[in-house]
Amino acid sequence: MSNKSAETAYPIHELIKNRWSPRAFADKPVALDVIKSVLEAARWAASCFNEQPWRFIVGIKGQNDSYTGILNSMVEFNQKWAQNAPVLILACGKKVFTHNQKPNRHFSYDVGQAAASLSLQAMAENLYVHQMAGFSPDKAREFFDIPEDYEAITTMAMGYLGDPDILDEKSKASELGTRTRRPLSEICFGDGWEKAL
Ligand SMILES: Cc1cc2nc3c(=O)[nH]c(=O)nc-3n(C[C@H](O)[C@H](O)[C@H](O)COP(=O)(O)O)c2cc1C
């Protein structure tokens, strides 16, 4: 268990409580079967019309060019720490429904749900996932030849927890800092908008 475990107001499942987004990853590879389990969890997420709009490109350090492609698409700040992760993932979504080619308003929402399942399955394997919006979808599209009706949504770094000392001072401070959340009363309403439950 990490010392970044959430200080929750009400009891929640250990996997959710312990999940967080580290930047220091250990120099330790992840077995392919374990990576596939994590992706399998994403596969079983709910989605609008059961479209399953998610697509994942998986880069494994030292093993495929996808790793370099995903890393190079990231902004410099993210590249700096994400290059320590043994696995990089690019999450894409199909923007239209397969059955009628009409826009799927919830494709991004569905990819997010799959990413949440992926992150929790990773936790069950003692792996941590750090998602990143800081990348260039255009660079990713060019490198991976992503078709027009798909959108590159996020990149992710995944691996075992590493030593915060490998980070620069600012990232190290954030790595060791306390996680914060809005109070439940600010995000959850009862008898009308902003009325307490
Ligand atoms: C869609 C998305 C984009 C994010 N983009 C970045 C990013 O580009 N760089 C980064 O260091 N963290 C990024 N994060 C991580 C968030 O900052 C982090 O999840 C948030 O601060 C909450 O911390 P926790 O995940 O440790 O609970 C992103 C997270 C999500 C879900």
Side-chain angles (χ1 to χ4, degrees), residues 19-21 23 77-78 81 130-134 154 179 181:
R19 184 213 60 81
W20 64 285
S21 306
R23 296 198 176 96
F77 169 76
N78 285 334
W81 58 265
H130 193 138
Q131 302 174 63
M132 285 160 274
T154 46
R179 297 172 59 222
R181 285 301 187 267

